[in-house]
Structures are given as C-alpha cells and as structure tokens.
Amino acid sequence: MTPAQSIPPKISRQPSLGFFAAAIFGTAILGTGAMIFFFNPSTHKFYPICLFHAVTGLNCPGCGATRSFYALLHGHFQLALKDNALFVFTLAAAAIRGAWFAQRKILRKPTGQFISPKMLWLLLIIGGIFAALRNLPAFAFLSP
Amino acid sequence: MYKIIGADGKEYGPITAEQLRQWIAQGRANAQTRTISENATEWKPLGALPEFANSFPAAVPPGFAPLLVGTVRKTNGFATGGMICGILSIVCCCGFPINIIGIILSLVALSQINRHPELYEGRGLAITGLILSVASILLFVVWLIISIASGNFNFNWNLNQFGQ
C-alpha cells in the first residue's frame, strides 16, 4: 500500500491555442447574437454600416447577414433566406460541422482542423459569385 | 517495479506496473512522464516502454502515422486564421478589429512558413488573408474620405438599385 503523500499530483493539461481561439470566438458570437436578438437591425441605427456598400452602393456577400440573423433568431426562415441566403447556408454548415466536431472530440476520435483550407477557398469563391449575382438585376431577389 | 518523476518534479515509487497503470488512468502520469524500471539504468518517457504502449491512446490513427513523419506538411494554423479574418473583415460591416487581427495572423503565418517551408503550407491562404484585410482597411480610408468630403454620414439600408 502506497502512503498518500507519495502519490504524484495530477498533470494539469495545458489548454491549446485553438481552445482559446474557440472560446473567444464563441463568446463574441454569443454576445453579438444576444445583441441582435434584442435590437432589430432594421430599426436600430447603432449597428456598423457596410463600408463596401457605403462606398460602392453594391451589396457585399455579407450585406443583410445581421438582419438575416435577427430573422433566424425570431424564427422567420423565409425572411432570413431573403436577407442573406449565403449566410443562412454557411451558418447551417458550420452548425453541422460543429456538432460533428464536438461529437468526435467527446469520443476522443481524431478530428483534424475545424475548417480545412479547401473549404475556405470554396467559401471565398462562392462568396465572390454570390456577391456578383446579387447585384445583377436578374438576381435581385438575393439582395436584402 | 517502477519509479516515475511526477508533474511536480519529485520522484515517486517504486510502484508496481498495476499501480502505474492506475496513475495513468487518473491522469497522474502520461506518455511524457520520465520513468525508470528497477533493472534499467536510464530514465525514459513512459510512452517509450513497450509494456505501457497500449495504455495511451494513439495520437494519430495508425494508418496515417507513417505519412506524418516529415513527408506531409501541415497547414499553418495562423494562415487559416488570417484567411478567416480576411474574409470576415470584408463581409462583416466595418470589419474593424478583425482586419487588424487578420493582418497580424497572416504576417505571423508567412514568417513561420518562410522559416520552416518543410513543416508548413498555407502560403496562399496567408497571402489572401493579408490582401483581404488590407483591402478592408483601404475601404475604410476611402469611405472616410468620401464621408468627410460629402459631409454625409447617413446611410440607407435597402439600396440595391435594381431591386427595390
């Protein structure tokens, strides 16, 4: 029988850089979400303006995302899709990926990176196409 | 019988293999813990002892392990972060803290990739992140000039000139 004082202490696990990044990101998302939930972006003026929109008059791929998020949080899916369809789909994809990722982490299976470089390039290209389309007269329904 | 060096740097033991496995399970010892068995002469990491090899979950699945030894380069995490910030800084309205962070992350990534090209990839990601972040700042400068010149900081949300 080993005396109690000769048991080594537990090894404290160092949280990784990714953990901190995720924590900061998550807090920011939650805070922003709460603010958007309580203050309608269509009627409150304190939200930051889109610089691209302000300078060019065109809609950037993110224009309408705040209103889209507000609509989503209040359960208006059609309005959310109309305000920014790309945002809704990206959010859905991120949620699915997040759930998969969390499940793998809990089961201690290898996960790889949360976002792969290929996905980022894809997102950039789709964002560009989306921006081009929503500013064309024929695809004006993509604009908020 | 084994002796180990605990997380506090002190020596523990001698203990039986059974007891040591229990310590591993309780998180008191891991694969990096320095260990000496009673008839060995030098301290070794616990993970290097064959009798404890299956006490630790494999860090990478066995099929991938040979690939990871020097042949496959890892995408630099800062490059990915820089790219994400770059995209967000254009798309998220004013983009302000994000474009600064994007520039910093991209520059860190580029310097790391340049220093260890054999370890990292993701130069394209980092450069794109940098360009997008800088573009976001330029956009802000242009907007500032226009606003000051016209004396008009007022903006209308629904402005697709074709739509509504």
Side-chain angles (χ1 to χ4, degrees), chain A residues 2 5-11 17 41 48-55 57-62 67 82 110 113 115 117 120-121 124 134-135 137 140 143-144, chain B residues 7-8 12 19 23 26-30 33 61 75 78 80 83-84 87 91 93-94 124-125 128 132 139-140 142-143 155-164:
Chain A
T2 323
Q5 68 268 27
S6 68
I7 293 176
K10 289 194 176 174
I11 297 168
L17 198 66
I49 49 154
C50 177
L51 292 179
F52 184 80
H53 181 73
V55 170
L58 300 171
N59 282 314
C60 88
R67 281 160 285 169
K82 197 210 165 316
Q113 280 184 306
I115 306 176
L120 273 180
W121 289 118
L124 190 70
R134 71 196 313 210
N135 287 299
S143 279
Chain B
D8 53 357
Y12 292 93
Q19 176 78 60
W23 283 0
Q26 289 165 353
R28 297 178 196 279
N30 63 19
T33 302
T75 301
F78 289 107
T80 313
M83 174 78 153
I84 294 173
I87 294 177
V91 158
C93 301
C94 69
L125 285 177
T128 315
L132 289 174
L139 205 58
F140 175 73
V142 173
W143 172 79
F155 291 97
N156 189 353
W157 275 111
N158 295 312
L159 257 187
N160 184 339
Q161 63 271 54
F162 306 109
Q164 287 143 1

Side-chain angles (χ1 to χ4, degrees), chain A residues 4-5 7 62-63 84 93 110-111 124 130 135 137 142:
Chain A
Q5 68 268 27
I7 293 176
C63 281
N84 193 330
T111 53
L124 190 70
F130 184 68
N135 287 299
L142 290 174

Side-chain angles (χ1 to χ4, degrees), chain B residues 92-110:
Chain B
C92 276
C93 301
C94 69
F96 236 100
I98 308 171
N99 44 26
I100 306 284
I101 299 171
I103 289 175
I104 295 171
L105 289 181
S106 303
L107 289 178
V108 170
L110 280 179

Side-chain angles (χ1 to χ4, degrees), chain B residues 55-72:
Chain B
S55 303
F56 303 104
V60 283
F64 292 109
L67 286 176
L68 286 178
V69 186
T71 54
V72 165

Side-chain angles (χ1 to χ4, degrees), chain A residues 54-104:
Chain A
V55 170
T56 62
L58 300 171
N59 282 314
C60 88
C63 281
T66 324
R67 281 160 285 169
S68 179
F69 198 36
Y70 177 84
L72 267 187
L73 289 176
H74 289 85
H76 308 304
F77 286 99
Q78 274 188 315
L79 189 62
L81 274 177
K82 197 210 165 316
D83 277 340
N84 193 330
L86 180 65
F87 173 75
V88 175
F89 288 124
T90 312
L91 205 63
I96 293 169
R97 174 81 176 148
W100 180 87
F101 207 81
Q103 171 248 328
R104 299 278 288 187

